[in-house]
Amino acid sequence: MIDLRSDTVTKPTPGMMAAMMAAPVGDDVFGEDPTVNALEQRTAAMFGCEAGLFVPSGTMANQIAVRVHCRPQDEILLETNSHICLWEAGGAAALSGVTLRTIDSATGDGRLGASDFTDKVRPDDMHSVRTRLVCLEVTHNRGGGTVTAPGAINDISRWARQHKLATHLDGARIWNAIVKTGVPAKVWGGMFDTINVCFSKGLGTPVGSMLLGPRDLIAHSRRIRKLFGGAMRQIGFLAAACDYALDHNIDRLAEDHANARIIADAVAEVPGFTLKPHEVETNLVWFEVDAQHGTAKDVAERLKVSGVLVAPLGTRVIRAVTHLDVTRAQCVTAADAIRRLAR
Ligand SMILES: *Cc1c(COP(=O)(O)O)cnc(C)c1O
C-alpha cells in the first residue's frame, strides 16, 4: 500500500531507532532527562526562543499555549479552518473556558492578512469577552499546506502587539515552510510569543511536539502540561528520535514537496477533480471530486483497490500527503492510479 493519508503514518528508520536506543535518559518530571533537556535547548535556540517544552502531541502544545495566554472569558482570533478550531476536540472551550472568533481566509487557502483583523478587538465592556490571543497556522493544513508570507505575519503580529494581544503560531509543519521559503527558523520564531513545532509529521518521529517561547511562559506551561497529564518520565528515548530528525530529516522535505507536485499534476488531469488550492506549495494535496465520481469515500475506495490510500475528509474532499515513507517511484505509481480514474 502507498499510504498518502497523512505524514503521521511514518515509522522510525533503523538509524532513528538506533539513536533512540542509545539515548541517556532520566526522569523528565524531575527535570533529569538529559536528552529531553538538550532537545528543548536545541530547538529553542533554532527558533531564537528562550525555552522549550517537550510534549506528546501538537494538540497538547496548542492547548497549553491557549491556557498559558488566556483566562476563562477570553477570546482567540484565528482562521476558520485552523487545526485549533476544527481538529482539537473543542479543547479551547473544554480546557480553558475560551471562545474562538473565526476569521475566513479571503483567499480560501488559510492565509490571513492584517486587514482581516480590523475591528476584531472587542470593546472593554462587561458584556464582552476579552480579546486576548491571535493564533496563526503555518503551513496551513486545511488551507492546503500553504505558507502565509512572513511579511504578512509581521504586519499581523505588529497589529496584535499594538492591541496588547498575545500571538501563537501553530507551526506543526513549520519545517515544510522553512524548506519551501528558505526563511530560517529564527525569523519565524521572532514573529510570535509562542510556537508549536511537531516532530511526528514531516520529520518522521513516532511522537513529539514542542512549545517554544519566553522562559517565564514556558515555566508556567510546564505546570499546565502536568495538569493536562502530559508530563512523562524517561522520554529521552522519544526526544532522541526528534534530535535525530533535526539532523537528518529537514532538508529532505524538498523531496516531499516535489513528490506532492507529481500527485497534484495527476489530479489536475482528471476531469471532475479540482485542486484546492490550485497551487500545491508543500506536501499536502487537497482536491474536490465532483458528483460524476461519486463521493470522496468512493474515490478513496477505488484508489485503495489500486494500492493507494488517501484520506476522504469531507463528502467531496480528499487529502493526499507525501512524506518520508513514500518514494518518488511510489508517488509516480500513485499518480498513474489517479490518472486512471479519469473516465
Ligand atoms: C497535526 C497538526 C497538529 C497536532 O496534531 P497532533 O496529532 O495532536 O500531534 C496541530 N496543528 C496542525 C496544523 C496539524 O496539522
Side-chain angles (χ1 to χ4, degrees):
M1 278 290 169
I2 300 170
D3 194 346
L4 303 175
R5 290 172 303 164
S6 174
D7 44 8
T8 56
V9 300
T10 55
K11 305 212 172 100
T13 57
M16 184 179 281
M17 293 281 267
M20 293 169 77
M21 290 304 107
V25 297
D27 192 327
D28 185 53
V29 177
F30 296 171
E32 289 176 2
D33 191 305
T35 310
V36 173
N37 293 341
L39 181 73
E40 288 178 345
Q41 281 165 23
R42 178 184 183 183
T43 314
M46 278 180 83
F47 285 85
C49 297
E50 284 178 0
L53 181 69
F54 190 56
V55 295
S57 70
T59 299
M60 188 179 286
N62 283 336
Q63 290 304 322
I64 291 173
V66 167
R67 183 67 166 248
V68 83
H69 289 299
C70 301
R71 298 189 307 239
Q73 298 181 291
D74 282 355
E75 181 175 70
I76 302 175
L77 303 177
L78 78 182
E79 201 278 321
T80 306
N81 289 317
S82 58
H83 194 278
I84 292 175
C85 188
L86 290 187
W87 291 316
E88 299 192 6
L95 300 172
S96 299
V98 167
T99 55
L100 304 181
R101 186 173 190 187
T102 55
I103 302 173
D104 288 343
S105 161
T107 43
D109 60 4
R111 287 187 175 88
L112 295 176
S115 60
D116 293 313
F117 290 85
T118 305
D119 296 332
K120 289 296 193 295
V121 178
R122 304 278 186 188
D124 181 10
D125 179 296
M126 70 169 178
H127 298 86
S128 299
V129 291
R130 184 181 70 141
T131 310
R132 177 59 195 135
L133 173 65
V134 172
C135 293
L136 299 181
E137 185 174 311
V138 178
T139 69
H140 197 291
N141 183 342
R142 184 64 185 83
T146 48
V147 183
T148 304
I153 294 177
N154 236 329
D155 292 345
I156 295 169
S157 293
R158 194 174 324 120
W159 174 88
R161 272 197 304 278
Q162 279 163 5
H163 294 278
K164 299 195 164 37
L165 309 182
T167 54
H168 171 70
L169 173 65
D170 180 355
R173 292 193 183 82
I174 194 64
W175 320 103
N176 298 82
I178 290 168
V179 168
K180 164 73 186 174
T181 60
V183 175
K186 276 204 173 73
V187 172
W188 299 99
M191 296 191 288
F192 296 91
D193 293 312
T194 54
I195 316 178
N196 156 37
V197 302
C198 293
F199 300 96
S200 59
K201 302 257 166 95
L203 296 197
T205 76
V207 181
S209 294
M210 195 170 293
L211 184 64
L212 302 166
R215 204 166 282 116
D216 56 340
L217 280 186
I218 295 300
H220 185 191
S221 297
R222 213 167 273 282
R223 189 183 289 246
I224 299 167
R225 183 185 67 172
K226 186 69 187 156
L227 170 70
F228 289 174
M232 299 179 288
R233 305 294 177 174
Q234 287 74 21
I235 47 171
F237 295 120
L238 304 177
C242 302
D243 197 51
Y244 179 94
L246 291 179
D247 287 335
H248 296 93
N249 293 348
I250 297 180
D251 292 341
R252 65 151 304 284
L253 291 170
E255 292 171 37
D256 295 347
H257 301 171
N259 288 344
R261 282 195 296 275
I262 291 173
I263 304 287
D265 287 347
V267 169
E269 284 177 30
V270 179
F273 286 5
T274 312
L275 288 168
K276 294 253 170 112
H278 183 70
E279 198 205 335
V280 168
E281 294 182 29
T282 56
N283 69 324
L284 308 182
V285 181
W286 286 83
F287 60 101
E288 288 181 13
V289 302
D290 75 10
Q292 63 172 299
H293 292 280
T295 63
K297 254 196 180 136
D298 297 333
V299 172
E301 278 304 319
R302 248 171 270 140
L303 282 171
K304 191 174 175 180
V305 173
S306 311
V308 178
L309 299 178
V310 296
L313 292 173
T315 317
R316 316 225 72 87
V317 182
I318 290 181
R319 191 185 69 175
V321 185
T322 55
H323 52 77
L324 187 56
D325 283 5
V326 286
T327 62
R328 166 71 56 104
Q330 286 177 310
C331 289
V332 169
T333 302
D336 288 341
I338 289 168
R339 279 196 192 86
R340 282 200 301 277
L341 296 176
R343 40 172 84 171

